[in-house]
Amino acid sequence: MERTRTPVVSGWFTGAEAGDGFRLLGTRCSACASVFFPREDAYCRNPHCPGGGELAEVPLSPRGRVWSYTDGRYRPPAPYVSDPDAPWEPYTLVAVELEAERMVVLGQAAPGVTPAGLAVGMEVEVVAGVLDEGAGTVTTTWWFRPVEGTR
Amino acid sequence: MSGDVAVLGVGMHPWGKWGRSFVEYGRAAARAALADAGLEWTDVQSVVGADTVRGGYPGYVAGATFARALGWQGARVTSVYAACASGAQAIGAARAQILAGLADVVLVVGADAAPKGFFAPAGGERPDDPDWLRFRILGATNPAYFGLYARRRMALHGDTAEDFALVKVKNSAAGAHNPYARYRKAVSAGEVAASAVVADPLRLLDICATSDGGAALVLCGMDFARARGVADPVRIRAVSTVTPTYPRTVLDLPDIATDSAVAVEPAAGSFRASIARAAYEEAGLGPEDLSLAEVYDLSTALELEWYEDIGLCGEGEGAKLLREGATALGGRVPVNASGGLASFGEAVPAQAIAQVCELTWQLRGTAGARQVPGARAGITANQGLFGHGSAVVAVR
Ligand SMILES: [Zn+2]
């Protein structure tokens, strides 16, 4: 049976299929060049913005450097989706500094990436990921993983 | 100083998991504060309640809830919600009413019955709520953010897990002397190290628990205090409730990303540092004047960050200050003499008020075995979800 692939939030990243060109999507204010992620479509949040700009969608840098990282050794509460009957598998969270955007974005690390395989300052890239799978549906998300497949 | 208000009474309900209603805790704390002030409830002209979230409605726990529990008597009422900063905003609102001449005597109350385990957002499908989103997309609990800060400190400043554990050892030793604390047992570094990792590198004993509890203050004008024969009361000299400035560059609860700094150069210093700075400026004193501080130690590592943010030491020097013993009872500037959240746990709307209760006991010289000798000035520091700053300066 073909399963529907649905992004966990629509409009935050490009096509949910694995492969080249996966990018996080933000918006940029045409009046002051501020970038927003998660995307801000209603108004510019820069208090110094001259105003009158448009918020246009922009892909964020595909690579960045680790700002910090941690993991979740205990099952988080809802609305995080996990099977209560399955043993809990810790996941890793990575906060990534994007140089061009001068911002930090948080994401889950790709499966198999543990804190032991990360270091502050390490280069990572964003890739298509799967958040959870139900009957007939796959919820897609973004993952970070070290560049050059070090782990 | 013309901006001073007097702390006439303080009261608490002990922290713990008591299984009762927050209203009971708040009422008990309020009655204790009134007794401490030597006033009747019917003397109170205004009541300010620090709200907590019930069933998704920030507002179930409100000023009027406590007024009803104490018995309707027609007082002016205010309810404030600012997450962990709710208590400071309640104090700020009460102080503004007194300074504006709207009331002579104001009762401030905060209480909560917290859920067990991780805090979680309200139910439903709510993708417009950043708090909901971080759980749905990332499973990013509060301890996950504390873990990020801790790991970053280790990378930038060379802090170690042993440094973090030492914060717990220090706070639990102080909390053992506090009859209102939930945990009244000194904890060893070995016990911290033996507890389970929750969010790398933090362990269970590095992270504060959720608790029930209540705290209350009776605030009044200086003239009212003198008329009651209290010539030299503890005074609140500053209440800081600032927001961040754009761009906010430190990843913070509950956000998934920081602001971008491409368009505007970030201001010097962090949001947390600006909270204390605003309080110092309003109070006309600085960190060198402090006898003690109460800071929001949601995690052990975060307490070290507060040392730097409230100006007790330079950036990256928090662990050094701790290791020297400066922030322990008996040290140069004890931090969390109450035992802190490490000993109390979180009862969200009560905690910022409880911090001021501790300053009051310390400045009165009635803190018993945890007394900071000759305490003259203290600061509280705290931060509420969604960009709420919170700091109070009290002096004697
Ligand atoms: Zn703009």
Side-chain angles (χ1 to χ4, degrees), chain A residues 13-15 17-25 59 62 126-128:
Chain A
F13 44 85
T14 53
E17 299 304 322
D20 288 342
F22 179 89
R23 301 284 278 272
L24 290 170
L25 298 174
V126 71
V127 294

Side-chain angles (χ1 to χ4, degrees), chain B residues 146 150 153 161 163-169 171 192 202-203 205-208 297-305 307 322 342:
Chain B
F146 309 152
R153 286 195 66 85
D163 292 328
F164 301 153
L166 198 51
V167 175
K168 177 71 173 190
V169 171
N171 289 354
V192 180
L202 297 177
R203 296 176 179 275
L205 293 183
D206 284 302
I207 294 166
C208 85
D297 56 321
L298 293 165
S299 81
T300 51
L302 192 59
E303 177 170 314
L304 300 182
E305 203 154 303
Y307 294 176
L322 172 78

Side-chain angles (χ1 to χ4, degrees), chain B residues 96-297:
Chain B
Q97 290 176 5
I98 292 166
L99 295 179
L102 297 173
D104 295 320
V105 185
V106 185
L107 174 68
V108 179
V109 191
D112 205 1
K116 195 173 157 53
F118 293 127
F119 281 112
E125 185 88 0
R126 298 180 304 105
D128 60 341
D129 176 4
D131 198 37
W132 186 88
L133 283 170
R134 56 133 168 168
F135 280 97
R136 173 66 188 98
I137 303 171
L138 303 171
T141 60
N142 292 8
Y145 286 79
F146 309 152
L148 291 172
Y149 304 145
R151 178 56 65 182
R152 178 126 179 116
R153 286 195 66 85
M154 293 170 91
L156 253 57
H157 306 315
D159 290 11
T160 65
E162 289 71 32
D163 292 328
F164 301 153
L166 198 51
V167 175
K168 177 71 173 190
V169 171
K170 171 184 76 71
N171 289 354
S172 66
H177 298 299
N178 194 331
Y180 296 101
R182 174 177 178 186
Y183 302 104
R184 298 190 57 198
K185 185 182 150 293
V187 170
S188 70
E191 285 172 289
V192 180
S195 65
V197 173
V198 175
D200 174 274
L202 297 177
R203 296 176 179 275
L204 193 62
L205 293 183
D206 284 302
I207 294 166
C208 85
T210 58
S211 288
D212 297 359
L217 304 172
V218 176
L219 303 181
C220 69
M222 294 303 298
D223 289 344
F224 185 93
R226 282 187 205 102
R228 301 280 310 176
V230 184
D232 184 25
V234 171
R235 301 149 196 237
I236 289 178
R237 183 149 286 176
V239 182
S240 156
T241 59
V242 295
T243 53
T245 56
Y246 183 89
R248 186 185 193 179
T249 55
V250 175
L251 184 68
D252 216 340
L253 281 161
D255 293 328
I256 284 174
T258 64
D259 293 332
S260 158
V262 285
V264 181
E265 199 55 34
S270 66
F271 170 48
R272 273 191 278 270
S274 76
I275 296 169
R277 190 167 61 238
Y280 288 136
E281 281 172 14
E282 190 168 276
L285 54 73
E288 65 282 359
D289 301 309
L290 295 178
S291 312
L292 76 156
E294 288 284 308
V295 303
Y296 221 57
D297 56 321

